[in-house]
Amino acid sequence: MRTRTDMAAPSQPHQATYDAIVIGAGIQGSFTAYHLAQRHRDTLLLEQFILPHSRGSSHGQSRITRSTYSRVPYARMMPDSFRLWKRLEDEAGTSLYRRTGLVVLGPAGDPELEGCRRSLGDNHVLDATELAQHFPGLRLHAGEVALWDSTGGVLFAARALRAVQDAFRRHGGTLQDGEQVLHIEPGAMLTITTTAGVYRAPRLIITAGAWTGALLAPLGLRLPLQVCYHHGSPTDPDERDRVPPGTPSPDVTLLSSFISSHLPGLEPWPAVVETCLYTNTPDGDFILDRHPKYSNIIIGAGFSGHGFKLAPVVGKLLCELSLGEEPSHSTAPFAITRFPGVLRAAL
């Protein structure tokens, strides 16, 4: 296993050639690198910040997981995701998921809710009596429907990120943090210049979250990515810490209002607030595709606030795309070509 000190003396720039380079060591990039290392590819995982950090989308104590999905492609991917999370748990020898069950609430007839109902089946609908029996703290309002997903639960986010990065290193991978990518030179052998070194590889996977757009712009690709706090206010990822303390948050107000209405026994205002950057696409679907001009550059982006639970499968798909293999799930819904105007303007 190569370590940082094996690469070069501290005063010298790092130089090395790899089978694959992954930019961005959040949960998506870390799983991508993990799958590549498992496939015996000598892989470099680059992260611009010192790990662990809270600048991106993969930090914090927990993320929700579930089987129910209103969109069919994600519903089909979730069984594989649960299986791969379990495999990582076994490999890491630690718990990464707590099964609690999940209640989905929404107005009857809502398209999103009806999609979830189809995903689960009608026998998972709870009427007001059943909901009160099992969840006496939850209040169902007139015209609302409750669905029960027994597979739902909590992923331990920060622990999961550490686990997959540790597993990547055990499989021989190299993780370099505190290295910002300065330049990507396309070619059959790509050259990646960072603040600390120069690296070469025949394949590159970009999973840089909110910084993906800035990396792709010099490569002639301008994807319609907006950075925001979930569906909150758009923000510049490098300016997010400059919001003055105590600035009112409409998102917190919205959540507090929901808690007051549906969970009246709880204190509605949060004790702790953590920010998490989400990078949204216009349609809320992922981008998992090749660069249209440089086919050995693979892009995973726009996870739109619902990517963490699917990261094991996303990593596998990005790995397969980078190796020129048939993806184990269809990536057609995640193609860049669904934004044709953007491509024409950029290329």
Side-chain angles (χ1 to χ4, degrees):
M1 180 169 62
R2 186 186 286 112
T3 64
R4 294 186 68 157
T5 52
D6 291 334
M7 296 284 293
S11 59
Q12 298 174 328
H14 300 151
Q15 295 191 40
T17 299
Y18 293 88
D19 296 328
I21 296 173
V22 180
I23 300 176
I27 196 67
Q28 312 295 350
S30 295
F31 261 112
T32 302
Y34 164 77
H35 283 290
L36 284 161
Q38 267 203 328
R39 303 282 292 276
H40 308 292
R41 278 11 184 236
D42 188 15
T43 304
L44 171 65
L45 178 57
L46 288 170
E47 170 57 48
Q48 64 174 323
F49 300 115
I50 299 294
L51 293 168
H53 70 84
S54 59
R55 306 276 309 178
S57 310
S58 299
H59 60 283
Q61 293 300 306
S62 63
R63 294 293 187 280
I64 202 169
T65 189
R66 63 185 189 272
S67 293
T68 177
Y69 249 108
S70 60
R71 292 271 285 113
V72 171
Y74 303 111
R76 288 177 175 166
M77 291 160 68
M78 279 309 303
D80 198 14
S81 190
F82 274 109
R83 180 183 63 81
L84 290 170
W85 277 117
K86 180 64 170 65
R87 188 174 79 179
L88 179 62
E89 275 191 323
D90 293 342
E91 188 175 342
T94 188
S95 173
L96 303 177
Y97 160 63
R98 187 174 72 217
R99 182 170 170 169
T100 62
L102 175 78
V103 175
V104 180
L105 295 176
D110 178 80
E112 189 88 3
L113 186 82
E114 290 305 313
C116 290
R117 189 206 293 256
R118 287 191 296 272
S119 171
L120 286 169
D122 286 336
N123 61 329
H124 291 265
V125 178
L126 299 176
D127 60 29
T129 302
E130 291 172 315
L131 187 69
Q133 179 184 347
H134 294 290
F135 304 99
L138 259 176
R139 179 181 294 169
L140 194 65
H141 294 275
E144 291 183 334
V145 174
L147 307 177
W148 171 245
D149 181 350
S150 62
T151 69
V154 174
L155 289 166
F156 306 126
R159 188 189 303 178
L161 184 62
R162 284 195 306 270
V164 70
Q165 289 171 353
D166 289 346
F168 164 66
R169 283 188 286 243
R170 283 196 301 272
H171 286 287
T174 302
L175 174 55
Q176 302 275 45
D177 63 352
E179 289 197 39
Q180 182 182 3
V181 172
L182 302 176
H183 182 67
I184 299 170
E185 182 64 36
M189 282 294 287
L190 297 126
T191 302
I192 314 301
T193 303
T194 75
T195 49
V198 179
Y199 310 100
R200 304 183 76 228
R203 55 186 63 85
L204 171 68
I205 304 93
I206 299 176
T207 51
W211 290 267
T212 298
L215 288 171
L216 289 174
L219 299 172
L221 189 58
R222 296 186 184 276
L223 296 178
L225 300 174
Q226 184 180 72
V227 185
C228 68
Y229 299 115
H230 198 50
H231 296 291
S233 307
T235 187
D236 182 329
D238 293 317
E239 301 289 329
R240 53 171 280 180
D241 293 334
R242 301 192 183 185
V243 177
T247 301
S249 170
D251 310 318
V252 172
T253 302
L254 180 68
L255 290 171
S256 295
S257 174
F258 178 87
I259 290 170
S260 296
S261 174
H262 290 81
L263 295 158
L266 292 184
E267 163 58 48
W269 292 98
V272 176
V273 176
E274 279 190 312
T275 57
C276 176
L277 287 178
Y278 291 166
T279 310
N280 290 346
T281 58
D283 56 12
D285 286 330
F286 305 164
I287 293 171
L288 308 174
D289 204 355
R290 304 176 184 281
H291 190 292
K293 185 176 180 182
Y294 309 112
S295 61
N296 58 346
I297 298 177
I298 310 300
I299 301 157
F303 295 101
S304 304
H306 63 112
F308 199 102
K309 69 182 76 65
L310 285 154
V313 179
V314 166
K316 183 169 74 166
L317 291 171
L318 294 174
C319 168
E320 290 164 344
L321 285 171
S322 74
L323 296 176
E325 299 175 354
E326 184 69 23
S328 50
H329 297 271
S330 172
T331 58
F334 314 119
I336 292 173
T337 50
R338 71 185 195 269
F339 308 118
V342 175
L343 292 180
R344 282 197 296 271
L347 300 175

